[in-house]
Amino acid sequence: MKLDSPIFDRIRVKPDRDRRTKVEGPVCEWAGCCNAATHRAPKGRHHEGQFWRYCFDHVREYNQSYNYFAGMPDSDVAAYQKDALTGHRPTWKMGQNGGDKTRRSAAHDHQPENFADPFGMFGEMGGTHRHDPEPARESRMIRNAERRAFESLGLELGATTEEIKARFKELVKRFHPDAHGGDTSTEDRLRDVIQAYNHLKSTGFC
């Protein structure tokens, strides 16, 4: 063979250096493994923040059998899972923050004289409130459809059930064609009155 051959550099029986890939960095901590430790695995309960260093194959094997709750009673596991819902932060029931009755009832000092608390929200915080058998008419949410119905009947928003029924009967008699000798010019107005009354009835106003 020619020494200046472009195909071969030289022929040698033993290489002048070890050309095998050497592991750089930490070595896998799995017993008997010499591969690079490319992954971390938690050491478990009571060792939070501490990790084993394994290669890919051994960290996968470790994760398949890892159980953070191993050896923990079922009651402790349930308590841990419940605390995990709030990020293991302490919580208190609304209004129970260690204050005395005077502090907890401070919300009552800012309530109007005739304040109604149908859901008991302020009462849970120590304030006093009254429960009405049904919410006052003024406190109900009035939608546009209800407003138009009251306007069609010529009533105020705070009209009582008796006032609505009396007004309805009055307008039916006034706009009914029989009251005008069969004249049908007021039929449209009569139709509006009936629709308004039926809507208020369906929404519980009368």
Side-chain angles (χ1 to χ4, degrees):
M1 176 182 289
K2 297 181 181 180
L3 296 179
D4 58 351
S5 171
I7 301 176
F8 299 100
D9 179 13
R10 70 179 62 181
I11 297 177
R12 56 184 179 275
V13 176
K14 185 177 180 181
D16 55 355
R17 64 181 183 275
D18 188 359
R19 298 178 180 271
R20 291 175 296 180
T21 302
K22 295 183 179 179
V23 177
E24 298 181 358
V27 179
C28 177
E29 296 184 66
W30 197 273
C33 182
C34 298
N35 295 327
T38 56
H39 296 76
R40 298 192 309 171
K43 290 189 175 182
R45 196 169 67 256
H46 306 308
H47 296 283
E48 285 77 5
Q50 301 180 23
F51 300 90
W52 300 106
R53 303 185 68 89
Y54 293 135
C55 64
F56 176 76
D57 293 333
H58 287 137
V59 76
R60 182 169 57 182
E61 182 176 350
Y62 177 83
N63 289 338
Q64 289 177 350
S65 60
Y66 177 77
N67 183 7
Y68 180 84
F69 300 104
M72 182 183 292
D74 292 341
S75 59
D76 293 345
V77 173
Y80 182 93
Q81 292 173 338
K82 182 179 179 181
D83 292 341
L85 297 175
T86 58
H88 301 284
R89 296 182 177 89
T91 59
W92 296 270
K93 189 176 180 181
M94 186 175 179
Q96 296 183 356
N97 57 356
D100 54 17
K101 293 182 179 179
T102 303
R103 179 183 298 178
R104 289 198 302 269
S105 62
H108 177 62
D109 297 338
H110 303 284
Q111 296 178 7
E113 182 178 355
N114 296 323
F115 179 78
D117 185 18
F119 299 104
M121 182 179 68
F122 290 96
E124 185 178 353
M125 294 170 22
T128 58
H129 60 282
R130 62 182 179 87
H131 287 280
D132 293 334
E134 61 181 64
R137 179 66 52 79
E138 293 78 9
S139 64
R140 292 188 55 169
M141 179 183 294
I142 305 297
R143 298 180 175 84
N144 290 334
E146 282 80 15
R147 293 181 184 275
R148 289 194 295 269
F150 278 106
E151 291 176 359
S152 296
L153 297 177
L155 294 172
E156 299 292 336
L157 296 179
T160 64
T161 299
E162 291 75 14
E163 291 174 342
I164 296 174
K165 291 181 178 180
R167 184 65 170 174
F168 171 69
K169 293 179 180 179
E170 176 189 348
L171 294 179
V172 167
K173 292 179 180 179
R174 180 187 305 177
F175 296 118
H176 199 281
D178 293 345
H180 302 279
D183 185 7
T184 59
S185 61
T186 58
E187 279 188 348
D188 292 340
R189 185 69 179 93
L190 177 63
R191 188 179 300 108
D192 292 341
V193 170
I194 295 175
Q195 290 178 351
Y197 177 78
N198 289 336
H199 180 76
L200 294 178
K201 187 176 181 180
S202 65
T203 54
F205 281 91
C206 60

